[in-house]
Amino acid sequence: GAGPRLIQVESRFSTTAGRSDLWVPLRPGTEADLAAGIGNLLLEENLCRSAVLHTIPDLDAYRRMVSAHTPELVASKSGIDPALLRKIACDLTGPEPAVIICGSDPAGGPPDGRTRALIVALNILTGSVNRKGGIVPRSLPIDAATEPVEESELCSVPDGSLGLLIIDEAES
């Protein structure tokens, strides 16, 4: 198979955007509008799995929060074409879990709490939480008494000593 697809949404063409399957440029600071617009589309176009919808206690409040975020309104704020917005919403509800994450944008700064909450809601609406290949809740380490590993520079790590490296909140 082709493997997972990467859609990078950010205001500038970064290294990650260059390596993604699709780069979606948006105006800085409009990430919350985008997330609300996708959430609205997922609900209005019945793209959510009904089994997931029944597990969301505040669904009506969420629906009211995102209902004004039509594709046309999101396009006017973010610069993202309504047809592309609809395609992204449909792509998020495929058979495999979609994982939607947010991080800092050099042009827009770190996302605020509302933006993060709207993005978390997309993971819930797409049924990607507590699902293999999706989002799993963080838990405490098995042995909380374990001493933390000393921080070191990446360039000082011996070749071949890492099987997997995950970088969080890195400048790209």
Side-chain angles (χ1 to χ4, degrees):
R5 287 187 15 179
L6 173 62
I7 300 174
Q8 179 72 5
V9 179
E10 69 176 309
S11 58
R12 67 185 181 95
F13 191 78
S14 65
T15 302
T16 305
R19 293 182 177 170
S20 66
D21 297 295
L22 174 64
W23 170 52
V24 181
L26 83 163
R27 292 185 189 111
T30 62
E31 294 84 0
D33 295 306
L34 173 62
I38 292 172
N40 186 40
L41 278 168
L42 292 172
L43 293 170
E44 289 300 310
E45 299 191 6
N46 297 313
L47 297 172
C48 301
R49 291 172 179 82
S50 60
V52 170
L53 292 179
H54 297 298
T55 67
I56 304 172
D58 296 333
L59 183 59
D60 289 335
Y62 175 81
R63 200 181 289 269
R64 286 190 302 275
M65 183 176 23
V66 300
S67 64
H69 288 80
T70 63
E72 293 71 27
L73 176 68
V74 173
S76 72
K77 291 182 172 197
S78 70
I80 298 173
D81 182 74
L84 178 57
L85 188 66
R86 285 184 173 92
K87 180 178 179 347
I88 291 169
C90 288
D91 287 352
L92 290 175
T93 59
E96 298 299 323
V99 175
I100 304 102
I101 57 174
C102 67
S104 296
D105 179 354
D112 60 17
R114 180 174 181 268
T115 301
R116 288 183 187 269
L118 286 164
I119 290 171
V120 167
L122 295 178
N123 285 296
I124 294 168
L125 289 173
T126 59
S128 297
V129 177
N130 286 330
R131 181 174 171 200
K132 184 177 180 183
I135 300 288
V136 294
R138 291 184 178 184
S139 61
L140 295 174
I142 294 171
D143 181 4
T146 301
E147 291 294 317
V149 175
E150 185 178 323
E151 184 177 313
S152 61
E153 294 290 321
L154 185 58
C155 62
S156 67
V157 175
D159 287 344
S161 66
L162 293 175
L164 171 67
L165 174 63
I166 299 175
I167 301 175
D168 184 22
E169 296 284 334
E171 299 277 330
S172 58

